[in-house]
Structures are given as structure tokens and as C-alpha cells.
Amino acid sequence: MDIRVSGHQVETGEALKIHVDERLQGIATKYFARAISAKVTFGKGPHDNRFTCDIVAHVMQGLILKGSGDATEAHVAFEGAAGKIEKQLRRYMRRLKDRNAGVAIAVTAEAVIAADNAGYTLFQENLAEEEVEDFPLIVAETRVDVPDATVSDAVMMLDLRNTAALLFRNSGSGTYNMVYRRGDGTIGWVEPHRQ
């Protein structure tokens, strides 16, 4: 598995890099025969001497795991984020076993890299300075991979990707649907009217 460790205003030493590599390789080999890549970014807390750690792991096509940790030491922040990744993988694998699927989807690293090369376009209108607060900058991702999934699988992907919303093609109806995390922590599901 290709693991990249970087620091944002934080120096990452060799011991930390070795620890990150060994821990993530151990998690990957425990759950998958072949994981693809992971990016680990360490940073400083916004107002204190705490460290943050963000992990984005591509373990197979369509399965992107995200975890973050926060602590007074970089190693502890990483362990918190790695623990979240491992918990997500454990839930995912249990769900696959419960569905009697038993077969993991095999993909190549090139397929994930191609899917991850989405372009970003910034849209900004010429607004007066006092209007900028009411109209934030819009960032649009121009290419995305929309997965085919059942509603329950889409909710699982929403949790695994640690995102607020997920657009998917409903494998039962063939229409595009969206699941999202509501403010109260529950999951919302949007399905278009059928005519």
C-alpha cells in the first residue's frame, strides 16, 4: 500500500513515519488482500498546542475511508484517526459477511487514481465586499464517480467516506438518489418522483 505522510506546519520525523506505515499496513493486511493508498496529514490545532491527524485511505474502487484525530501528541492523534479507520473497516467487512457476499471487489490502482483525478472549478461573481459574507465562494467538482448501490449500501458508503451527502444510482429503481446526514444525526434519503 502506498502511504504518504505529510505535515502542515508540523515536522514529521522518521519515527512517526515508520509508526504510521506499520500501523496502516497492519490494518490493510488484516481486512484486505491488497489496499491501494493512504494519505496521512498532520497539522497544528487552531488555537492551542494540539495536533490534528487526517487520514484518507483508498482501499478499493468506491471505498474511501476518512478518519481524523486530535490530541496533545502527534502519535496519539494518529492512533485516534487510525482507530476510526479500523472501526469503519470492521463494520464494512461485517456487513459484507452478513449479506453473505463474501467476495471483495478487486480493482487496480490505476482505476482508483483515474477516478480520483476530479477537476475543480471555482465560480465567483463580482460582488461588493459587504455582500461576500452572504454569498460564499462556490466550488464545483466537475467529474465524480456515481456508484450503483442499494439505499442501505449508500448509507454505509456515506458513513465510510465520512461525508455529509452521497449521490448514487439506486440499483433497485435505476434512478439517481441521494442520502445525507441531517443536523440531528439521522440519515435523510432523497428520491425523485416517478411518473
Side-chain angles (χ1 to χ4, degrees), residues 85-101:
I85 294 287
E86 189 167 19
K87 183 177 181 181
Q88 291 171 353
L89 279 171
R90 194 170 40 247
R91 284 182 185 167
Y92 177 74
M93 296 307 288
R94 184 176 7 178
R95 184 174 173 97
L96 285 179
K97 288 177 184 175
D98 288 346
R99 292 178 57 200
N100 294 325

Side-chain angles (χ1 to χ4, degrees), residues 36-57:
I36 298 168
S37 68
K39 292 180 185 177
V40 181
T41 307
F42 291 93
K44 288 272 191 183
H47 303 293
D48 54 11
N49 293 329
R50 297 178 70 81
F51 290 93
T52 61
C53 178
D54 295 312
I55 301 173
V56 178

Side-chain angles (χ1 to χ4, degrees), residues 145-150 153-154 157 167-172 174-176:
D145 197 18
V146 178
D148 283 337
T150 63
D153 287 345
M157 282 188 262
L167 177 69
F168 67 101
R169 186 166 182 235
N170 191 327
S171 59
T175 61
Y176 289 97

Side-chain angles (χ1 to χ4, degrees), residues 59-129:
V59 291
M60 65 175 62
Q61 184 175 16
L63 182 59
I64 301 170
L65 305 174
K66 296 180 182 178
S68 60
D70 178 314
T72 55
E73 295 181 13
H75 285 272
V76 178
F78 167 72
E79 284 300 324
K84 290 177 184 176
I85 294 287
E86 189 167 19
K87 183 177 181 181
Q88 291 171 353
L89 279 171
R90 194 170 40 247
R91 284 182 185 167
Y92 177 74
M93 296 307 288
R94 184 176 7 178
R95 184 174 173 97
L96 285 179
K97 288 177 184 175
D98 288 346
R99 292 178 57 200
N100 294 325
V103 178
I105 302 167
V107 297
T108 63
E110 294 80 22
V112 171
I113 290 170
D116 197 34
N117 285 336
Y120 291 89
T121 307
L122 299 177
F123 299 97
Q124 183 174 11
E125 299 175 19
N126 293 329
L127 301 172
E129 285 188 30

Side-chain angles (χ1 to χ4, degrees), residues 159-175:
D159 287 337
L160 290 172
R161 293 180 181 186
N162 198 19
T163 59
L166 175 73
L167 177 69
F168 67 101
R169 186 166 182 235
N170 191 327
S171 59
S173 65
T175 61

